[in-house]
Amino acid sequence: MRARPSHRLLLRRTDVGEIVVLAILPEWEGRGIGKRLLAMAIEELATLGLARLFLGCSTDPNSRSYGFYRRLGWRSTGQIDAAGDEILEYFTSNDEP
């Protein structure tokens, strides 16, 4: 007779990651720091096997983040999150749908 485990471990595998916060103080903007940080985060998440990344971004075209992500290849999903931010996505490989 086989012993039964006293607990269960549920693992959910996913290839989607979220960048929750990436912020640079205004006095440090314009030096490429945000771009480098974002590139490092993308690279690290890609090495973990995450093919699609997403984040919430202001819907206001006058906000600094609005153009920042779009210039770096992030695209709108057409969705708005509960905070009123637009969901942007980025594919870490050329295998996008």
Side-chain angles (χ1 to χ4, degrees):
M1 184 173 190
R2 280 180 92 178
R4 293 186 179 195
S6 60
H7 65 281
R8 294 180 186 257
L9 177 62
L10 175 63
L11 296 176
R12 190 172 87 185
R13 188 166 176 226
T14 182
D15 64 349
V16 178
E18 178 181 12
I19 296 177
V20 179
V21 176
L22 181 98
I24 304 297
L25 292 171
E27 61 267 22
W28 290 93
E29 289 179 2
R31 301 178 190 194
I33 297 168
K35 186 176 179 180
R36 287 194 305 267
L37 282 174
L38 183 60
M40 290 169 59
I42 291 169
E43 182 179 337
E44 182 66 24
L45 294 169
T47 62
L48 295 174
L50 303 177
R52 178 180 173 261
L53 307 177
F54 70 95
L55 54 78
C57 181
S58 173
T59 58
D60 179 1
N62 295 316
S63 72
R64 297 182 315 264
S65 63
Y66 185 89
F68 174 76
Y69 293 110
R70 286 166 176 80
R71 282 191 303 275
L72 296 174
W74 292 75
R75 296 186 309 203
S76 176
T77 63
Q79 299 174 326
I80 304 294
D81 68 14
D85 289 332
E86 182 178 19
I87 305 298
L88 303 181
E89 67 184 352
Y90 182 90
F91 293 90
T92 61
S93 69
N94 294 330
D95 300 334
E96 58 187 278

